[in-house]
Amino acid sequence: GNHVDNMGFTYSTSKWTPDEEIYWKDQTTKAVFYCYYPYGTPSSVTAYKFSTKADQSTLANYKASEFLWGKTGSVSPTESAVPITVNHMFSNALVVVEPGDGFTAESLAASNVEVKICNIKTDASINLATGIVSASGAPTSITPLNEGTYYRALLVPQTVEENALIIVTVDGVNYTLTKGFTFKANHQHRFTVTVNKV
């Protein structure tokens, strides 16, 4: 019963262009606009399936794990562009690895360091009408993107029971942060792991 269903838009040269030309229903009927990214072909508006990448060690995979959603309601017909504010529907986890006893910043930087965020569900069911996200599937380990001074990954909002949450491997030695945590939509969470040789 919608006036327009799932219309794709492409951004180019400072404007958005729809896949097909569309118009207001009439001169008085107000409209509610929903926006989501990336564009897809949902079989269900209330349970759209989307998955983040388990390996986000490349920028392409990190970006492919992003999901944005927004809504603007009760807009009267206008010739102006309709603004729709979109939000990040997933959590952004930042992991900072700091030198402890037996390490200096230089020796840690010269070490072979690997980071894993553990026990994370990567599948999401998204209600495109409300913007509510539910995590599903079996937990796995996420390899975050190395940004030099920190690591980051996009995670489906969820609560992780107390367990090995972050494992930092330095030259083959594992350092584990055991913690229960709730990852919230549109929030950035920072974790600092201090590694000690002794």
Side-chain angles (χ1 to χ4, degrees):
N2 294 331
H3 181 52
V4 177
D5 273 320
N6 201 41
M7 178 68 70
F9 278 73
T10 304
Y11 185 77
S12 178
T13 59
S14 302
K15 70 175 184 175
W16 290 95
T17 304
D19 290 345
E20 299 175 19
E21 198 166 25
I22 55 176
Y23 300 91
W24 292 89
K25 184 175 181 180
D26 52 42
Q27 293 184 346
T28 58
T29 303
K30 294 183 178 182
V32 178
F33 293 84
Y34 299 85
C35 177
Y36 72 96
Y37 170 88
Y39 178 77
T41 52
S43 58
S44 170
V45 171
T46 57
Y48 180 50
K49 303 302 181 191
F50 187 85
S51 297
T52 59
K53 303 287 187 183
D55 182 358
Q56 296 183 30
S57 60
T58 65
L59 185 58
N61 277 5
Y62 174 83
K63 288 183 175 181
S65 300
E66 177 70 285
F67 194 90
L68 304 173
W69 180 89
K71 173 184 175 181
T72 297
S74 195
V75 180
S76 296
T78 175
E79 292 182 5
S80 302
V82 175
I84 306 173
T85 300
V86 295
N87 290 309
H88 299 276
M89 300 313 298
F90 294 158
S91 294
N92 194 11
L94 300 183
V95 179
V96 179
V97 181
E98 292 190 345
D101 293 339
F103 282 104
T104 63
E106 293 75 18
S107 65
L108 184 59
S111 300
N112 182 17
V113 179
E114 296 177 359
V115 174
K116 295 282 187 184
I117 305 172
C118 306
N119 298 298
I120 301 295
K121 295 177 181 178
T122 57
D123 296 331
S125 178
I126 304 168
N127 188 323
L128 296 176
T130 63
I132 295 174
V133 179
S134 301
S136 60
T140 188
S141 294
I142 307 296
T143 303
L145 179 67
N146 184 347
E147 293 283 28
T149 57
Y150 62 91
Y151 298 78
R152 66 174 169 168
L154 291 165
L155 308 178
V156 178
Q158 60 194 278
T159 297
V160 178
E161 300 300 325
E162 185 162 342
N163 211 322
L165 181 64
I166 298 172
I167 297 177
V168 177
T169 305
V170 181
D171 293 334
V173 178
N174 289 341
Y175 300 87
T176 303
L177 174 64
T178 300
K179 186 178 183 67
F181 196 79
T182 297
F183 292 96
K184 298 179 182 178
N186 201 32
H187 281 70
Q188 182 168 277
H189 305 286
R190 177 187 170 110
F191 302 90
T192 299
V193 180
T194 303
V195 293
N196 300 299
K197 278 190 177 180
V198 293

